[in-house]
Amino acid sequence: MRRFLGIAAAVLMGFSTGEAAAGQPAPVQSVPGWEAVGRLNIGGKAMCTASLIAPDMVLTAAHCMYDTRNGQAVNPRSIKFEAGLNGFRAKASRTVAKAVVHPGYRHGRTGQFQTVTDIAVLRLASPISPDVIRPLALAATPERGARVDVMSYSRSHERSPRLQTACQVLVARQNSLITTCRVDLGASGSPVLQTRPGRAPRLVSVISSKARMGGKGVSLAAPLGHTLQTLIRQAG
């Protein structure tokens, strides 16, 4: 059996994290509407994480749309979105009809300046009813020092998501968000969430890669800028 692949790696130098918390694991069921997060099964050869942002639209990382072995673009129709996968059953499962990648994304490059373009919007072959799963609402990029959560599928959690809570935003720039959440292979495209007690979380960013900063593991995430709305229109 081939191992699922996912997140790219990057290395950052020259920053200091101090004593920032790395985020704590928590039950995903503690997040209302967590089923909007799902696993992308990419041709049975790779995996990423994605979020439902409209009944027929999901948001993920742009680099998930490329074959890690040869760098070629993946056929969108080979991708399946398994929303709310927990164990061997998903809350809803849909194939992908179309993928739109940020126009500035260049596959194979890494680093903070590539992170801002590492987003893609996928249109599902058929919508998921809001009565089954309510899409995640979008919100502005958090400021430095804010607390965020990350929900992801990964190499070590292929069939059930992992939730890290109370991660700290170390850097908030136009080209990247850096948090203390630690991610693994497969977590590319995972939502960075702002949660409010008793209310559905809001999606504020998308995990692009893992990195090292001040000798500690961190994650790089793509801010959600005006380009996202353009991608959504193009995917429709």
Side-chain angles (χ1 to χ4, degrees), residues 82-94:
E82 300 170 297
L85 177 66
N86 193 12
F88 289 89
R89 298 188 63 180
K91 185 75 173 181
S93 181
R94 297 288 189 276

Side-chain angles (χ1 to χ4, degrees), residues 172-195:
R173 297 174 177 167
Q174 290 184 338
N175 61 356
S176 66
L177 192 75
I178 303 178
T179 84
T180 55
C181 274
R182 297 179 181 179
V183 293
D184 199 0
L185 294 171
S188 297
S190 299
V192 180
L193 304 169
Q194 280 189 331
T195 56

Side-chain angles (χ1 to χ4, degrees), residues 42-131:
I42 306 171
K45 301 175 182 178
M47 68 170 285
C48 280
T49 305
S51 304
L52 190 71
I53 58 172
D56 62 344
M57 299 281 176
V58 297
L59 179 64
T60 191
H63 73 261
C64 294
M65 298 298 101
Y66 293 85
D67 192 310
T68 57
R69 298 167 300 178
N70 56 29
Q72 297 298 310
V74 173
N75 182 350
R77 297 183 183 275
S78 72
I79 303 172
K80 179 182 289 187
F81 176 59
E82 300 170 297
L85 177 66
N86 193 12
F88 289 89
R89 298 188 63 180
K91 185 75 173 181
S93 181
R94 297 288 189 276
T95 56
V96 171
K98 183 179 181 180
V100 179
V101 173
H102 191 293
Y105 179 74
R106 299 294 180 267
H107 187 63
R109 298 180 184 177
T110 59
Q112 294 183 74
F113 296 101
Q114 175 73 348
T115 300
V116 69
T117 64
D118 197 6
I119 59 174
V121 173
L122 315 182
R123 177 167 59 81
L124 303 178
S126 60
I128 298 173
S129 170
D131 293 333

Side-chain angles (χ1 to χ4, degrees), residues 152-172:
S152 64
Y153 292 84
S154 68
R155 178 174 58 182
S156 58
H157 294 80
E158 294 182 357
R159 295 191 177 276
S160 59
R162 180 189 183 202
L163 175 65
Q164 291 185 79
T165 64
C167 301
Q168 183 178 352
V169 176
L170 300 175
V171 176

